[in-house]
Amino acid sequence: MTPLYAIVGCAILLGRAVSAQGGPWSQCGGQGWSGATSCVSGYTCVYSNQWYSQCLPGTSTQVTPTPTQTSNPGGGGKTKYGMCTSLPASDWIKVVMEAAGVNMAGFDFGMATTGTQDASQILTPPNEQMAHFVNDDKMNIFRLPVGWQFLVDSPGAQLNTGDFARYDSLVQACLSTGAACILDVGDSSSPISSAQSANGMLTDARWNGAIVGQGGPSNDQLANIWSQLASKYASRSQIIFGVMNEPHDVPSITTWAATVQACVNAIRTAGATSQIILLPGNDWTGAATFVSDGSFAALSNVKNIDGSTTNLIFDVHKYLDSDGSGTHTDCVTANVDVFNNLASTLRGAGRQAMVTETGGGNTQSCITYVCQEVATLNSNSDVYLGYVAWAAGAWQPSWNYALDLVPTQNGNGWTDTSLVNACFKRT
């Protein structure tokens, strides 16, 4: 298997198959790019910046500067995941090429808002899916959601040995593909049933209905699980830590930022000093409200122990259906203005974000809009590290889930859903 990324000096270069012409919306140029530099009929290679050119609809002739190889752009320095310690933030963001992958759902099911767990709803995501997505679709990142209540029996407790072992098997399978692996701890969600179309993700920043650090478990109790997880994966540069999935209706965003700070301190103190940590905001950490609801300002104050913000990346979500919930099979927007506006704010502050949930149904409307959204993210690849689609993994067929991206295995081969094939598969 060709690894998805190889560290050359301090630059991460994503491996891609070289083809004669790039497909719709695919990359076709940029520093470090070694793939196709022309596009299929009806698409033109359009220059965005020195790091990215893309096949966009049109037939006019575009001149794309000749891509050059970046090698050790910082002149040395210890390599971190996606950056060099010797580079200032304004430079290291440029050597990180975009990440693309899928969520692997399953360990996030069965958590009720009361804090109880229905173990019958929990499903173990198939490891084989990740190997397929890496080998056949050239993806390079997976998000592995898991319930806080699944991993520990009570806030602040030690990891449940048996349940952690089950989750760790998924993490190890992810690591073995060479991809980046997001450990995403969540709180409560309702079990999925055939009558429900909610995505079933773990949400709330709550335990037993009470908000962490604001009447519920203490900051130290949430930080405790991150200390334990970081201790186990501190040596693995591929690991990314996702503090909490989709906090919402949090009364004080500044108090929530203090909770996030406690988790960052715990992760760094446990020895995971260089990995990316994802910082979630209020309002389901939505990209559209990330600035207006105060999340950007409050989380900008979260720092590493040394006072830096290196590898502290904002965690944002955005769906494309009529109410932005990710519960409908049809899409109505490409979120172009949302992501361009947030990109401007990020760029002005010298910060970055990762879109760890987005997607739509396997419908023509979603194929159109999701591909346009991906194009927008790619055109702002200096501030968006990448995107992770929702969701593959384990889904019961009876759930009739709207955003199911589970591939079908046919003997030794796999067939992807239409949305993966059109928008998330890379060539």
Side-chain angles (χ1 to χ4, degrees):
M1 175 183 96
T2 301
L4 269 188
Y5 58 78
I7 296 177
V8 181
C10 289
I12 285 185
L13 307 177
L14 298 183
R16 304 166 190 257
V18 176
S19 59
Q21 290 184 311
W25 311 103
S26 64
Q27 184 175 354
C28 55
Q31 188 161 311
W33 175 249
S34 60
T37 56
S38 62
C39 305
V40 295
S41 177
Y43 289 78
T44 300
C45 189
V46 177
Y47 174 79
S48 176
N49 54 53
Q50 73 180 99
W51 311 101
Y52 197 83
S53 297
Q54 184 171 33
C55 291
L56 299 178
T59 57
S60 61
T61 301
Q62 298 285 335
V63 178
T64 301
T66 302
T68 57
Q69 182 77 20
T70 296
S71 181
N72 201 16
K78 180 182 177 182
T79 298
K80 293 184 176 182
Y81 182 78
M83 60 199 66
C84 303
T85 57
S86 59
L87 290 180
S90 59
D91 289 333
W92 64 248
I93 59 175
K94 297 176 183 176
V95 302
V96 183
M97 311 301 278
E98 84 279 2
V102 295
N103 282 266
M104 298 297 294
F107 284 122
D108 46 340
F109 298 140
M111 305 298 172
T113 55
T114 59
T116 59
Q117 174 182 308
D118 180 0
S120 68
Q121 296 287 332
I122 295 171
L123 300 173
T124 301
N127 295 341
E128 298 82 2
Q129 286 184 25
M130 291 184 288
H132 154 67
F133 285 128
V134 168
N135 294 334
D136 301 332
D137 295 344
K138 304 302 182 283
M139 294 182 181
N140 65 346
I141 189 168
F142 298 101
R143 184 166 175 257
L144 313 176
V146 62
W148 188 6
Q149 293 98 325
F150 178 76
L151 292 177
V152 296
D153 297 329
S154 61
Q158 293 299 298
L159 292 169
N160 181 297
T161 302
D163 289 342
F164 172 72
R166 290 176 61 190
Y167 181 65
D168 181 59
S169 66
L170 181 68
V171 176
Q172 296 302 325
C174 179
L175 291 169
S176 71
T177 68
C181 309
I182 302 173
L183 310 185
D184 184 75
V185 168
D187 200 351
S188 57
S189 75
S190 300
I192 292 290
S193 72
S194 60
Q196 292 174 306
S197 58
N199 67 9
M201 267 297 293
L202 311 165
T203 62
D204 298 340
R206 292 160 170 80
W207 183 295
N208 221 19
I211 300 173
V212 181
Q214 302 186 51
S218 68
N219 290 348
D220 288 344
Q221 287 176 317
L222 177 59
N224 174 266
I225 192 170
W226 281 118
S227 179
Q228 294 184 69
L229 291 172
S231 295
K232 293 183 178 296
Y233 300 111
S235 65
R236 305 307 296 264
S237 61
Q238 294 161 250
I239 292 292
I240 296 173
F241 300 97
V243 169
M244 176 63 68
N245 183 74
E246 295 191 342
H248 67 87
D249 299 299
V250 175
S252 170
I253 186 60
T254 55
T255 303
W256 172 247
T259 300
V260 175
Q261 181 69 71
C263 295
V264 170
N265 293 347
I267 292 167
R268 296 304 189 214
T269 301
T273 58
S274 63
Q275 290 95 331
I276 288 173
I277 302 176
L278 298 174
L279 313 180
N282 206 353
D283 296 324
W284 292 272
T285 202
T289 56
F290 202 79
V291 175
S292 62
D293 68 10
S295 295
F296 178 82
L299 293 172
S300 292
N301 294 320
V302 175
K303 302 291 195 297
N304 290 310
I305 294 174
D306 63 3
S308 73
T309 58
T310 303
N311 281 359
L312 299 183
I313 306 300
F314 299 120
D315 189 355
V316 296
H317 295 178
K318 192 71 180 81
Y319 287 97
L320 299 86
D321 51 356
S322 57
D323 59 2
S325 65
T327 61
H328 304 92
T329 56
D330 288 316
C331 296
V332 300
T333 177
N335 294 318
V336 172
D337 289 342
V338 167
F339 284 117
N340 281 338
N341 291 339
L342 180 56
S344 295
T345 300
L346 293 167
R347 199 170 286 120
R351 298 299 296 269
Q352 292 178 297
M354 182 178 288
V355 183
T356 61
E357 278 192 41
T358 191
N362 293 287
T363 60
Q364 186 55 55
S365 64
C366 287
I367 288 172
T368 297
Y369 286 120
V370 171
C371 286
Q372 291 177 15
E373 180 187 76
V374 167
T376 300
L377 294 172
N378 286 338
S379 69
N380 291 288
S381 60
D382 59 321
V383 292
Y384 293 119
L385 288 183
Y387 38 89
V388 191
W390 184 265
W395 298 95
Q396 294 286 7
S398 61
W399 291 348
N400 297 317
Y401 182 58
L403 274 59
D404 187 347
L405 299 182
V406 175
T408 302
Q409 189 169 17
N410 304 297
N412 294 326
W414 295 81
T415 300
D416 284 311
T417 67
S418 58
L419 187 65
V420 169
N421 267 323
C423 302
F424 296 118
K425 181 176 183 177
R426 307 190 324 168
T427 58

